[in-house]
């Protein structure tokens, strides 16, 4: 049904930003996906808003998505696997192609939750010096 999925999330809190990018493998798969998820409200926890769907106008197809993300800081080795875009073939996760350039470590945004838990001076106690680079 799909060959690419990316659920953006806060890497520190592991909380999703409540949207996803999904590449469906065929028109039929896309129609089934829309029929199931448009207006969906059966989430297990938290969200009780109905799902909305929007076609991408910027990127279309697996090759464009791979090229967009393969050199992204999201693919850096410091990023946990749950936070990375994923490829799938016949229902099984497959490896992302290697980057073509050295990857930068992602910049971490200071979320409200992290700002509240950070000690005076603005740094979280859980940050090591290498994580602040």
């Amino acid at each position: 049904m799909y060959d690419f999925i990316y659920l953006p999330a806060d890497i520190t809190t592991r909380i999703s930003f409540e949207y996803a990018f999904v590449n469906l493998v065929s028109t039929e798969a896309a129609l089934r996906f829309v029929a199931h998820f448009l207006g969906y409200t059966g989430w297990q926890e938290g969200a009780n808003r109905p799902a909305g769907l929007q076609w991408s106008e910027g990127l279309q197809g697996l090759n464009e998505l791979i090229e967009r993300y393969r050199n992204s800081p999201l693919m850096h080795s410091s990023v946990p696997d749950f936070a990375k875009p994923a490829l799938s073939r016949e229902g099984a996760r497959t490896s992302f192609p290697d980057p073509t350039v050295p990857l930068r470590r992602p910049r971490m945004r200071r979320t409200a939750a992290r700002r509240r838990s950070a000690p005076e001076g603005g740094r979280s106690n859980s940050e090591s010096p290498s994580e602040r680079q």
Side-chain angles (χ1 to χ4, degrees), residues 63-76 85 96-106:
N63 290 334
E64 285 189 30
L65 290 162
I66 288 171
E67 289 309 309
R68 161 65 182 91
Y69 288 102
R70 76 186 305 172
N71 294 318
S72 167
L74 284 169
M75 303 308 285
H76 190 272
F96 224 88
D98 291 333
T100 60
V101 299
L103 298 179
R104 289 183 297 114
R105 178 183 277 277

Side-chain angles (χ1 to χ4, degrees), residues 104-132:
R104 289 183 297 114
R105 178 183 277 277
R107 292 181 301 217
M108 301 298 278
R109 293 185 183 163
R110 304 269 309 172
T111 65
R114 279 190 274 165
R115 282 192 297 271
R116 284 191 300 271
S117 66
E120 197 128 347
R123 289 195 184 124
S124 166
N125 289 332
S126 63
E127 289 179 327
S128 69
S130 65
E131 289 175 305
R132 292 189 289 265

